[in-house]
Amino acid sequence: MSNSVEIKCVAKNGAVLPVYKTSGAAGADVCALVDSSVTIEPGCTKMIPTGLFFEIPEGYEIQVRPRSGLAFKNAVTVINTPGTIDSDYRGELNVLLINHGKENFTVNSGDRIAQIVVSPVTLGLFSQVESISETERGSGGFGSTGIKSV
């Protein structure tokens, strides 16, 4: 059984409301709303409008994530993933797409370009202290828990 929360949404004329494609989907697909086709050249990034404006309840966020099929078939993905839409943002959802492929990629209105996931937000209470506890990992950073060569 899944939980749900009402997300109010204004959709410009021609925009498509987010849609969950299956009953078990965590992400709802969002579609582009462009005046004319947008071409993303290899290695380039474009901001793609959706025509959607959300009223997200306080205590929630919407995360913008790539669509796996778009990434696999075309090497096109969301560059700032996951992108966060805060509950106090009222502007249009624009998706930052990057083309990692070798061919131009064209976006048309109605194309599914990303998915959004509604998530509860937990705020941290940050306090300054003189020291923090030790752990087995310590300050080991990037790659520090992987297999080490001999």
Side-chain angles (χ1 to χ4, degrees):
M1 180 176 179
S2 61
N3 296 324
S4 59
V5 61
E6 180 184 14
I7 307 290
K8 295 177 182 175
C9 182
V10 170
K12 283 184 180 177
N13 189 26
V16 178
L17 286 177
V19 175
Y20 294 97
K21 290 295 188 179
T22 66
S23 62
D29 288 343
V30 292
C31 298
L33 180 66
V34 292
D35 294 329
S36 59
S37 297
V38 175
T39 299
I40 307 173
E41 295 82 14
C44 293
T45 301
K46 294 278 176 87
M47 184 166 34
I48 309 298
T50 65
L52 301 173
F53 301 77
F54 298 104
E55 183 177 321
I56 304 165
E58 190 172 332
Y60 290 88
E61 66 163 332
I62 290 178
Q63 296 178 5
V64 182
R65 300 180 182 183
R67 291 191 60 249
S68 58
L70 195 59
F72 178 70
K73 294 175 186 171
N74 304 102
V76 172
T77 189
V78 178
I79 194 166
N80 64 322
T81 187
T84 294
I85 306 171
D86 298 305
S87 65
D88 59 350
Y89 177 68
R90 293 297 185 267
E92 181 175 5
L93 167 58
N94 291 283
V95 178
L96 300 175
L97 291 181
I98 186 167
N99 182 355
H100 287 297
K102 296 178 181 168
E103 308 280 330
N104 285 348
F105 181 78
T106 302
V107 178
N108 297 295
S109 278
D111 288 352
R112 295 181 297 156
I113 57 169
Q115 59 181 322
I116 57 174
V117 174
V118 178
S119 297
V121 172
T122 301
L123 298 180
L125 300 174
F126 303 100
S127 60
Q128 185 171 347
V129 296
E130 294 298 317
S131 64
I132 55 176
S133 64
E134 295 291 326
T135 66
E136 182 180 340
R137 180 176 180 178
S139 62
F142 299 103
S144 65
T145 61
I147 299 173
K148 299 192 189 298
S149 55
V150 180

